[in-house]
Amino acid sequence: MRRGFYYYISIMIRLTNVSKTVMSGSEKLTILHAVDMFIPRGQFVAVVGPSGSGKSTMLSLVAGLDAPTTGDIFLDGEYINRLSEDELARLRGAKVGFIFQSFHLIPSLTAYENILVPMEIMKLQQARARAQKLLDEIGLHERGHHYPSQLSGGEQQRVAIARAFSNDPAILLADEPTGNLDSKNGMHVFELLVKLNRERGTTLLLVTHEHALAEQADRIISLNEGRIVEDLQKEN
Amino acid sequence: MNFILNMAWREMRASWHRLLLFFLCIAIGVGSMVGLRSLIQSIKAAIKSEARLLIAADVDVQTESMAVLERYFNSPLVVDHTEKLEFGTLVRSAADPNAVPRLVWLTAVQQQYPLYGEVRLVDGQHYDHSMLKYRGVLVRPKLLIQHNLKVGDEIKIGRLNFTIRGVIQKEPGQMMHFRPAPRVLVDYNDALAAGLTDFGSRVQRTMLFKTLEGQEETLARQLRRELRTDRSLRVNSFRNREGPLSEQLAQVENYLSLLGLVILALGGIGISSVTRVFIQQKMKTIAILKCLGGENRHVLGAYLAQVLALGLTGGLLGLALARIVTIGLPKYLADRISFDIEYGVTWQAALQGLGAGILVALLFSLPPLLEIRRVKPILVLRKDTAASGRRVDWLRLVAGLLILMGLFALAAWQAGSFKIGGIFLGGLVATSCMLSLAGAALIRLLRRVGHLPSFVLRQGVNSLYRPGNQTSVILFAVGLAVFFVVTIYLVQINMLSEFNYNSILVTHDLGMIDIQKDQQAEVEAVLTRLAGEAPTMIPMLRLRMVRRGRPGQEWWVSYRPNLEEYEKVTAGRFWEPTPSPDPEISIEDHISRDFQLGVGDTMTFDVLGRQITARITSIRHANRYVWNPVNSIIFRPGALEDAPQRIAAHIKGPVPAGPRAQIMREIADRFPNVIVYDFVETFEAARGVVRSISIVVTFVGGFVFLCGVLILVGSIAMTKFHRLYEAAILKTLGATRRLIILITLIEYGVLGLLAGVIGSAAAIALSWAINKYALELAWQPLPSVNLIGVAATLLLVTAVGVLSSLDVMMKKPLDILRTE
Ligand SMILES: Nc1ncnc2c1ncn2[C@@H]1O[C@H](COP(=O)(O)OP(=O)(O)OP(=O)(O)O)[C@@H](O)[C@H]1O
Ligand SMILES: [Mg+2]
């Protein structure tokens, strides 16, 4: 029982019976089937699976970007499906960093400002300095004043990552962050993520197609057709 | 707060080229609201002072109990007062005791007269009351000619001699007064001294009041209440006065208020649709902000700040434009209209206009801005995730209610009447609902349309209902704009047809009363000979009305077989020219209104002790500029021919002064009992005012139309951004420009047609309601205006749609794909 208690309070993400059904035309289509999952604080989890298996869907549910059809989602001490849109937004601003598969930078803001935005929303101190530092870290020191449409895919990807880091989130959800990068840059980004996970104890959910990367995670969850088909916990 | 402002600023800076169009649309919207509003207000003020000149006071009173009025001299409502006496009397040259005395209409005034306007003398002499002191008199030019006199000569009025001190060219308070004789002006005390009180009851005493601004109706009401037992009481305020000219001035004032409202509504609609399109473009950014932890109030705040900033700059631009217009305007209008307009835009008017403009901008942009709250962060991943949850959104309901209330307050304030405000808002809401329903129905219908044969057709129709379509925005903006513009035109045409100032000239400007029955044939012969056409002879009978068995008011009535060309039947049917066994009457619409009588009701009159009960078979509306002393109640021939009666006559007199004077002389010599009225001067003056009004009305109406079109162009042009992405992809896939233009043509053609039809159909209803309830005018349908409205809308919408998309066609697709 003692162990159970500690185990319980250190849970960062818990999904119970979470499913997602969408209407495609007039038909119901279930894209996530009754997923159950615990992720303890500080764990580095790789999510793998074929295209269309529901990886992005699961991640966006965890971030509260969408509501599940059934089930409960528990995020760092709170059941988020009971939260209003604004409460969800505040939660994301405070705790969650999200890196989208297709970046989703704000086209009307410069790279620098895109990184600045989450910190401004959270009213963090020294936001500007930190944004500048993050810009340096991703190697785009000279490009801060450029708009997303003036950046290459990989550069946009790096800005998106810096943005996700900027509010120093407890949970980082990364949807194929290295998909658009060459192996050198990809490696660099990956190391950034892992470093954050190690040094700050950030819980990291990383969707990737690259086996080499997934291998380095504490745990690998495999999805197929909306179901968890394998959950490999590494013993260390 | 900081974040909101930062965000607003950055967005404005980054997409300024896109915002430019947005800005332009908002600026045109707010600018035309602010600018036109102040223009309309100047004109309204001018018309108000013109209306004041009709009685040269705010309120005038005629009563038997003048003593009561003295209590009002110290009323807080009253700023100034003066009394005048008026009566017909005989005048002759003092130098020649044998000269023939002639009738004049004498007005005796005090120091304060006139309370408004000025007495204008020929030769640019300045009028001052001291000119009348010690038996001075001011006369009309006609009198000098009649009596062969000049300034400085003496004339005998009553027992006293008066010296002619000057010649009046124009004086306030006289327009559309039908008086048979030239007017002369003397001092009040002299008139009393001259023993003119001998005339007793024939002296007409009028007290003129000047009130605090806007209090004229209050004073008039108080007086009417206090003096209600006086049966001869007459209380007029300058706003509420009998007589065609003041009625029309009142109508024009109402119409201008309406124009002010319409311009606010048009501006608001433009702003609303432009904002909606703008927010639609920003959906993705909003969703991203929400993913990053942005709360609704942050995001809403950022966009609200943008709309406000744009509204403010737009408003300032509008003020500048209004200033430019009002610099250029006086030259144009001054040559064409007879009264003066203050053109300056005062600080107060500017601030008020700016306030109203921004308030409207806020109210109308609120609904699209509130959409922000419904944007789900998941939109980032799935572009067209349907807005989930059909839950009642209380905030939106409250906001909607708030907007309606704000609009109503604004409308009532702008129109100065809850009635007009209500009618207007009712029309706005009803048409909005209709347009929304039509939009939904169209989308639904198109979805059902099966496989269309051509790709172009399919694609054009597709884009009307696919997710993210602009159908409702365009339908809404265009439909409402058409609705208002067509309404304004229908009202304007109906109103101007009432003015129809030509009729003042073409109909009879020479009138006679008191012709005896046995003189009728002779008078008719003389007039026919001298004027070259037969006069209209009008029998006049003084009959006492009997109400509920008791004798009531006396009325002048007449009888005739036919309807005159200056009147039309508004209810019932006018009789055949044959005599009828049962008495029938036709009444004018104002009698119908005042006594609440309709077709089928009866009126009873006492004719020489015999009671005649007549059924009302028709109600007529007559052009009020035609002088007809007995037109209110007329009988069908057959009932009154044998009763004692006198005859009136009117005719279009010859234009040259010579032949005209000959007619008057001959009638006066041969029939001394007949009184002749010459209306040429009166009509000339009235015609000037009326023509000025129609010019002003047409002019401002044209401006509103122009702004309506501009606003419309703006809201359509804004929708082009929607097609950027799609056009780019189509191009990558090999579509030619021609193809894309064709698709656009079809898309906008369908929308323009539908919006035009709904808008102009609804305009029929609103213009009818406004005519009937707000302006109290007869209304006639004008299908041609509606048809033109539909055709013009179709053309305009397609043209703007295609033209605004031209740059999309020219751009390289890659530019667009990268930014999307
Ligand atoms: N709103 C929706 N409407 C219809 N289908 C949807 C919707 N959202 C997701 N899907 C479907 O659900 C499935 C899972 O989508 P998801 O984006 O989670 O896949 P994924 O595992 O991230 O794939 P990839 O590796 O290609 O990114 C897909 O087949 C997708 O088409
Ligand atoms: Mg995915």
Side-chain angles (χ1 to χ4, degrees), chain B residues 721-742:
Chain B
F721 295 115
H722 166 59
R723 287 185 311 283
L724 278 172
Y725 195 47
E726 186 174 303
I729 294 175
L730 280 175
K731 268 166 113 179
T732 27
L733 300 180
T736 59
R737 285 175 204 168
R738 208 178 69 90
L739 201 69
I740 297 175
I741 289 178
L742 275 178

Side-chain angles (χ1 to χ4, degrees), chain B residues 392-406:
Chain B
V392 187
D393 185 344
W394 289 108
L395 190 68
R396 267 169 77 83
L397 276 181
V398 170
L401 221 62
L402 219 74
I403 292 165
L404 275 185
M405 270 158 45

Side-chain angles (χ1 to χ4, degrees), chain B residues 266 269 427-428 431-432 435 475-485 755 759:
Chain B
L266 283 177
I269 292 159
L428 179 71
T431 312
S432 308
L435 286 166
L475 214 53
F476 208 72
V478 177
L480 281 178
V482 171
F483 167 62
F484 282 123
V485 168

Side-chain angles (χ1 to χ4, degrees), chain B residues 83-132:
Chain B
E83 189 182 337
K84 72 175 177 185
L85 306 171
E86 286 173 293
F87 47 88
T89 185
L90 291 173
V91 162
R92 66 175 173 78
S93 162
D96 175 9
N98 297 322
V100 192
R102 285 182 197 264
L103 191 68
V104 291
W105 187 255
L106 185 137
T107 308
V109 297
Q110 297 174 319
Q111 171 86 43
Q112 291 90 335
Y113 182 86
L115 294 180
Y116 287 103
E118 52 162 356
V119 178
R120 214 173 290 164
L121 305 179
V122 292
D123 307 333
Q125 226 182 321
H126 185 72
Y127 167 80
D128 190 278
H129 186 72
S130 61
M131 297 176 93
L132 301 176

Side-chain angles (χ1 to χ4, degrees), chain B residues 490 764 780-789:
Chain B
L490 288 176
I764 298 177
Q780 65 198 79
L782 295 156
S784 56
V785 173
N786 288 292
L787 281 180
I788 292 172

